[in-house]
Amino acid sequence: MAQPGSIVKVVVPVAGMGTRLLPATKSQPKEMLPVGRRPVVQYVVEELQAAGLRQILFVTGRKKTAIEDHFDPDPELVRTLSSGGGYDLLSELEYTETPARFFYTRQSVPRGLGDAVAHAQEFTGDEHFAVALGDSIIMSRDGSSFLHEMMAAHLANDAACTLAVEEVDPADVYRYGIVKPQGEVGSGDSLIIEDLVEKPRAGAAPSNLAIAARYIFSPAIYEAISRTAPDRNGELQLTDAIRLLLQLGERVQAVRLRANARRYDIGNFESYFKAFIDFALTDEKYGYMVRQYVKRKAREI
Ligand code: UTP
């Protein structure tokens, strides 16, 4: 049986327009918005590296070149800091010295997440691969790699698709893709999935387990995407392609986010603000100051 380490490629879709974050995203990628001291996509790349995913394909689009620039080593900036007494800031650029290799492809028109993933077909070939949404951070408190766990479950069960899922408030199910697990929701490592529903009404949802921005796929997903019809907005939805995998009799499973892990989706202002506050409060360098400030402020409001 293949080992988790045998999955080395990951696709990071970052081509969406981020309309829910306008005007902040009018001329810059939402994936570059800072959460605490780093842009969102830097946390994503750190997570991928921790999982041993060394070949990273960004599916980019218009106005997204800042992402490419961010991961490029910058010898001129390094020289300026070295000669101008900015030595202590050099460590902030260490993330650019990475064994990971970056690849870029362009989705010129954002036609949905399914279409974005389809752009990776030549890159991943006949290998299993991961997909990590560039606007969502997954942080585990003990530093363990949730993606690694997902890859192990994926390969052990020879699945066509392994989804990350997290429990959400039943009142919030209408915001998410919700899975229908087979039978009772057990405590096992992976749940077999029977169906998926995109943004169900509260009360009509088959569970409160929401798809959480990380996926592992076999190459079968490409066939499913190519056979998926666009939705009424003309977008190819990844969840529709996964439903097709189910109809084709493929194994679709889910791994639940552990209690010690959290997902931060910064796709709308409410969750973006919450993510920023959490990261600022726990920042190694500035957290103490922020906590004092917030305590003072809390007394005023
Ligand atoms: P979202 O659907 O949340 O992003 O996609 P969006 O379309 O940019 O958001 P709104 O609705 O306009 O505010 C989740 C991730 O998938 C990427 C996005 O860049 C984001 O990181 N994505 C989405 C693509 O790469 N291509 C697409 O066609 C759609």
Side-chain angles (χ1 to χ4, degrees):
M1 193 181 297
Q3 296 301 305
S6 66
I7 297 179
V8 292
K9 291 182 179 171
V10 56
V11 180
V12 185
V14 291
M17 293 205 282
T19 51
R20 284 168 296 161
L21 294 178
L22 281 169
T25 49
K26 162 78 171 53
S27 61
Q28 67 173 335
K30 72 169 158 183
E31 297 82 4
M32 284 300 292
L33 292 177
V35 172
R37 282 187 278 156
R38 298 175 205 165
V40 174
V41 70
Q42 189 176 332
Y43 295 102
V44 175
V45 165
E46 283 166 2
E47 179 197 344
L48 303 180
Q49 288 174 326
L53 293 159
R54 294 268 183 270
Q55 297 187 43
I56 302 173
L57 175 73
F58 284 107
V59 182
T60 72
R62 283 197 218 169
K63 301 175 191 165
K64 300 285 180 167
T65 47
I67 296 173
E68 295 172 43
D69 294 342
H70 188 69
F71 292 102
D72 239 4
D74 188 340
E76 203 181 315
L77 180 56
V78 169
R79 259 197 311 277
T80 308
L81 291 176
S82 310
S83 61
Y87 277 111
D88 49 336
L89 293 172
L90 283 173
S91 62
E92 301 295 347
L93 298 178
E94 273 167 11
Y95 74 91
T96 61
E97 297 158 21
T98 153
R101 291 192 60 201
F102 297 101
F103 301 83
Y104 300 91
T105 189
R106 205 168 158 96
Q107 185 194 25
S108 347
V109 183
R111 291 209 179 87
L113 196 51
D115 181 64
V117 171
H119 279 66
Q121 187 162 11
E122 280 165 357
F123 173 73
T124 61
D126 55 8
E127 296 173 39
H128 289 245
F129 62 98
V131 171
L133 302 192
D135 65 350
S136 288
I137 301 169
I138 293 200
M139 230 6 135
S140 59
R141 269 193 289 276
D142 62 1
S144 63
S145 166
F146 180 61
L147 264 171
H148 195 269
E149 207 176 304
M150 286 178 69
M151 292 190 284
H154 181 84
L155 295 170
N157 295 315
D158 201 18
C161 169
T162 300
L163 303 158
V165 291
E166 65 169 343
E167 262 174 64
V168 295
D169 190 321
D172 286 339
V173 286
Y174 69 93
R175 295 169 183 250
Y176 302 96
I178 300 292
V179 298
K180 179 180 183 194
Q182 204 174 71
E184 288 290 296
V185 177
S187 59
D189 273 351
S190 60
L191 307 161
I192 296 181
I193 300 306
E194 256 177 23
D195 201 4
L196 316 161
V197 196
E198 197 52 55
K199 303 187 172 68
R201 271 182 303 111
S207 75
N208 62 339
L209 293 173
I211 303 173
R214 301 291 182 266
Y215 312 75
I216 316 292
F217 288 114
S218 82
I221 190 63
Y222 294 119
E223 170 72 16
I225 295 172
S226 73
R227 289 167 63 172
T228 299
D231 65 10
R232 53 196 150 93
N233 301 319
E235 295 198 349
L236 261 179
Q237 296 298 345
L238 189 58
T239 40
D240 288 341
I242 299 170
R243 290 188 88 187
L244 197 61
L245 281 180
L246 282 167
Q247 285 156 21
L248 294 170
E250 298 276 3
R251 181 180 168 111
V252 175
Q253 59 177 25
V255 180
R256 253 204 269 199
L257 215 57
R258 301 276 164 249
N260 69 1
R262 263 200 76 179
R263 172 209 185 184
Y264 297 93
D265 158 21
I266 61 109
N268 61 72
F269 279 115
E270 186 185 328
S271 51
Y272 175 54
F273 288 158
K274 285 180 182 165
F276 199 104
I277 291 168
D278 277 13
F279 277 71
L281 284 171
T282 53
D283 188 278
E284 251 176 47
K285 195 166 163 188
Y286 299 101
Y288 179 76
M289 176 277 291
V290 177
R291 288 193 295 276
Q292 300 309 309
Y293 176 72
V294 168
K295 276 186 205 160
R296 234 182 13 252
K297 207 72 197 159
R299 286 195 286 270
E300 289 170 22
I301 52 180

